Amino acid sequence: MRAYIRSIVEIDSSDISDDVLNRFLGEGYDQVVYSEKRWPWYEVSTTFDTVSSTSDYTLATVGASVTNGLREVQAIRTDDHVLTFLGRDDGDIVYPLNSASTGDVYYWSFWADNVRLYPTPSSAQTLYVRGYKSPSAFGAGSLDSVSPSDFPEPFHVVIATYGISRCLLYTSDAADEGLGVDLGGRRI
């Protein structure tokens, strides 16, 4: 991707270092990845086991088996039924935390990276979770440590375009400051 960008902008590594170019590409990756929470390639399914008399579970606990962890929970079910999402305040009113209401879980809420189950499970139970995993850091796990590893190929051009625009801006700013950037044989 770096070579492609340099060929378009007509620069080399003496104009913009690999580290700076990697930072630009990482910025583009973050812009695309975090522009939408629900990219379909981040969809995952997992399970976790409840603990008797425990109603709150961190997102890290719920998504412990998911590479990079869960970013968001969309649905939870048991072997018998789908749990209904309930707002945290409503759940806490119907099932006050200071009460001893336990039983089979029928409702869940999600707030501040915590899943709360209603009523509090009376016994250990396996729950099935659908959600979205957290994206890999830019370059992590890729062949060249620069490309997005868990991002579909068609989006690489978007990231490259972002990199091209950042390089053009960077070289333009350097020229404005009188640093004399060499753009493919043209001295500015």
Side-chain angles (χ1 to χ4, degrees), residues 68-162:
N68 296 331
L70 279 176
R71 180 177 179 182
E72 184 177 323
V73 175
Q74 287 297 300
I76 302 175
R77 70 174 179 81
T78 67
D79 285 327
D80 303 325
H81 59 276
V82 174
L83 276 61
T84 302
F85 179 80
L86 188 64
R88 177 65 59 105
D89 293 337
D90 292 336
D92 290 347
I93 289 170
V94 174
Y95 298 99
L97 296 177
N98 60 358
S99 74
S101 60
T102 62
D104 290 336
V105 179
Y106 284 94
Y107 303 97
W108 68 283
S109 67
F110 183 69
W111 181 256
D113 287 346
N114 283 290
V115 172
R116 180 169 291 163
L117 304 174
Y118 304 101
T120 301
S122 56
S123 61
Q125 185 175 17
T126 298
L127 297 180
Y128 304 88
V129 179
R130 285 186 309 118
Y132 295 91
K133 72 176 183 166
S134 297
S136 299
F138 181 76
S142 66
L143 296 175
D144 61 2
S145 297
V146 177
S147 301
S149 60
D150 60 359
F151 213 58
E153 185 70 32
F155 284 88
H156 290 200
V157 70
V158 175
I159 296 167
T161 302
Y162 182 90

Side-chain angles (χ1 to χ4, degrees), residues 32-72:
V32 175
V33 165
Y34 295 106
S35 68
E36 173 61 49
K37 291 175 99 174
R38 298 180 177 142
W39 290 115
W41 51 86
Y42 293 127
E43 292 175 355
V44 293
S45 295
T46 188
T47 62
F48 82 98
D49 294 322
T50 64
V51 177
S52 177
S53 301
T54 301
S55 61
D56 290 341
Y57 300 86
T58 65
L59 197 56
T61 300
V62 174
S65 66
V66 176
T67 303
N68 296 331
L70 279 176
R71 180 177 179 182
E72 184 177 323

